[in-house]
Amino acid sequence: MRLDVVTIFGEYLQPLQLSLIGKAQAEGLLDVRVHDLREHTHDRHRTVDAPPYGGGAGLLMKPEPWGEALDAILADPPEGADPRGPVLVVPSPVGEVFSQRAAVELAAEPWLVFACGRYEGIDARVVEHYGTRIRVREVSLGDYVLNGGEVAVLAITEAVARLLPGVIGNAASLTEESHAPEHDGLLEHPAYTKPASWRGLDVPAVLAGGNHGAVDRWRRDQALRRTATRRPDVLARLDPARCDRRDLAVLAELGWTPGEHGFQVEPAAVADWADTNEP
Ligand code: ADE
């Protein structure tokens, strides 16, 4: 997979040389190219920003350096690129919220281009223009504001690259983790290792009992409970057709009942969740 990243802070992307993502690059599974936006300016100060039309706080990134930088990247496609070109990912607090599903979709692409905004973002015509030429996704890491797109690129790249064949040694770990479709999108069960007892806390007996069926059932119960109590938004989207009678009993105990498209909860259970999650 080829990743092109356009930024004014190339050093921010240095962590991509480390750990599994660094190894994936060394092995040729991933080709990361970082481009300096300022290379596409033509004034003495290498200006990339200007005040917004209409007034307001802060500075915006001017469109011309972006146009030049992105056109240069598009003119140099990797072998085996999609005829539609790359997906242009623009990290932004106004984008779709990034998810495991989005990571899976992006991991299926041979070529991604990231545009890292700084200041108050990039002139809106850049997304509008490239949206007529290639596929563009504005992506948010969550409902908070970062100083720029670089940290989002690190997070998105890590989530995507670990899904590529060969990047993670044990592929089974990908299907057993939180948010995995194979796991019905549920949060992962709690996990324990040696010693069996630590500071007066014992590992649940069922995990050391050698009964694999009982272990699977315990883990499923825990995943359902955790998701229902910590992430009611995720539980509400669980497909009732994926649930057995025991699942339904566990959820019923927590106030959740299957509906036409997902699960509903008694209002009291949501109030409990809000009590424990709001400041
Ligand atoms: N840039 C600024 N805030 C962001 C966010 N929440 N997600 C992605 N990119 C951003």
Side-chain angles (χ1 to χ4, degrees):
M1 171 183 267
R2 188 150 109 215
L3 299 181
D4 289 279
V5 186
V6 185
T7 171
I8 57 169
F9 291 120
E11 290 101 323
Y12 241 117
L13 284 309
Q14 282 296 324
L16 295 178
Q17 305 305 321
L18 304 174
S19 185
L20 292 176
I21 307 300
K23 193 160 151 263
Q25 287 190 72
E27 289 171 354
L29 299 171
L30 201 60
D31 176 5
V32 180
R33 302 183 185 187
V34 178
H35 311 266
D36 182 0
L37 181 68
R38 290 195 202 273
E39 294 293 308
H40 299 280
T41 57
H42 303 286
D43 63 315
R44 207 154 52 88
H45 301 292
R46 310 182 87 201
T47 309
V48 292
D49 55 347
Y53 275 111
L59 296 169
L60 276 175
M61 291 188 120
K62 291 159 61 63
E64 309 98 304
W66 281 106
E68 274 194 28
L70 294 172
D71 284 353
I73 291 168
L74 296 184
D76 176 29
E79 233 174 88
D82 189 302
R84 293 172 294 176
V87 174
L88 175 62
V89 179
V90 184
S92 161
V94 302
E96 55 169 311
V97 177
F98 190 57
S99 63
Q100 191 64 23
R101 178 191 298 245
V104 169
E105 288 166 5
L106 294 178
E109 295 287 336
W111 187 16
L112 302 177
V113 179
F114 291 96
C116 297
R118 278 268 145 187
Y119 315 111
E120 295 301 310
I122 305 173
D123 184 301
R125 289 169 293 184
V126 173
V127 161
E128 189 180 335
H129 170 79
Y130 285 97
T132 67
R133 293 173 55 186
I134 56 175
R135 292 164 294 158
V136 178
R137 289 177 80 157
E138 290 184 272
V139 177
S140 170
L141 281 197
D143 295 338
Y144 46 85
V145 178
L146 303 168
N147 284 336
E150 288 79 5
V151 165
V153 170
L154 291 177
I156 295 167
T157 299
E158 181 150 321
V160 169
R162 64 194 293 282
L163 299 175
L164 301 177
V167 171
I168 296 245
N170 179 5
S173 34
L174 295 177
T175 61
E176 287 169 11
E177 62 198 3
S178 295
H179 305 297
E182 296 82 353
H183 207 53
D184 298 326
L186 297 172
L187 302 188
E188 203 179 356
H189 54 77
Y192 304 87
T193 184
K194 290 172 185 170
S197 185
W198 179 73
R199 297 193 179 180
L201 300 172
D202 294 340
V203 171
V206 61
L207 298 178
N211 178 341
H212 297 299
V215 168
D216 287 347
R217 188 61 255 176
W218 182 88
R219 288 178 168 166
R220 176 81 175 176
D221 287 3
Q222 293 291 321
L224 290 165
R225 284 180 188 283
R226 264 192 165 178
T227 310
T229 52
R230 298 180 182 190
R231 292 295 302 276
D233 56 321
V234 173
L235 203 278
R237 294 194 297 269
L238 176 63
D239 180 0
R242 301 275 306 172
C243 295
D244 64 17
R245 289 171 64 157
R246 166 77 191 171
D247 292 342
L248 296 176
V250 169
L251 292 174
E253 206 182 292
L254 297 168
W256 289 84
T257 47
E260 216 174 306
H261 300 295
F263 278 80
Q264 290 136 14
V265 68
E266 290 164 14
V270 176
D272 288 350
W273 178 81
D275 283 350
T276 49
N277 283 281
E278 268 161 28

